[in-house]
Amino acid sequence: MCLKVLPTAKKREEMDEDTWKTTVNNAYAMSYAVAGAAAYENRNYNEAINNFTGVVKYFKRNESAYYHLGLCYWQVNKLDAAMLNFAKAYILKGSTSASAKKYLDQLWSSSHRGSLAGVERVIERAQQDLK
C-alpha cells in the first residue's frame, strides 16, 4: 500500500529537497523490505527477489537485503547471484555477515571440489558493486 502512495506524496514546504529525497528513499526501502520479507516467508522467492532488489535500489548498503537476496537466489538455484549477494552482505559487516560468509563458502566449495580457492574473486566483485 505504501508503495502505491509514495509516488503521489507531497513534500512539505519547510523541507529541503535533499531531506525530502532521503525521506522518500528510506520509505521505499522500508516498504520493499516488508514486502520482501512477507514474500520470503511465503516461499515466493521470485517476488522476494524483486522486493529485496527494490530495497538495495533505494538503500545500497543494506546488508540484510543482500543476505535475503542470497537466500532467495539459492532457493531458485541461481548460485552465482546467491554467492555475489552473500559476499555483499559479508562485506558490509552487519548482523548477517558471519552467516553470509558461511553460506558463500559453502556454495563456492560445493561447486569447486571442496576448495575455497578463488572465492576472493566473488568478494572483490561484490566490493566493486558496492562502490
Side-chain angles (χ1 to χ4, degrees), residues 8 15 33 40-42 56 68 80 83 115 121:
T8 62
M15 187 178 282
Y40 182 80
E41 288 297 318
N42 289 317
V56 298
H68 283 90
D80 288 340
M83 288 187 285
S115 173
R121 289 190 309 263

Side-chain angles (χ1 to χ4, degrees), residues 28-96:
Y28 271 115
M30 187 181 310
S31 299
Y32 279 117
V34 170
Y40 182 80
E41 288 297 318
N42 289 317
R43 295 187 169 102
N44 188 340
Y45 301 115
N46 288 317
E47 183 180 332
I49 288 168
N50 289 336
N51 283 297
F52 287 122
T53 300
V55 173
V56 298
K57 175 182 175 185
Y58 291 99
F59 182 19
K60 188 174 183 177
R61 300 185 69 80
N62 187 312
E63 55 88 20
S64 179
Y66 289 118
Y67 178 76
H68 283 90
L69 279 166
L71 293 172
C72 291
Y73 280 120
W74 193 355
Q75 289 294 324
V76 298
N77 206 32
K78 293 184 179 180
L79 302 185
D80 288 340
M83 288 187 285
L84 181 60
N85 282 284
F86 283 137
K88 290 175 184 178
Y90 166 66
I91 289 166
L92 292 172
K93 301 294 183 211
S95 63
T96 64

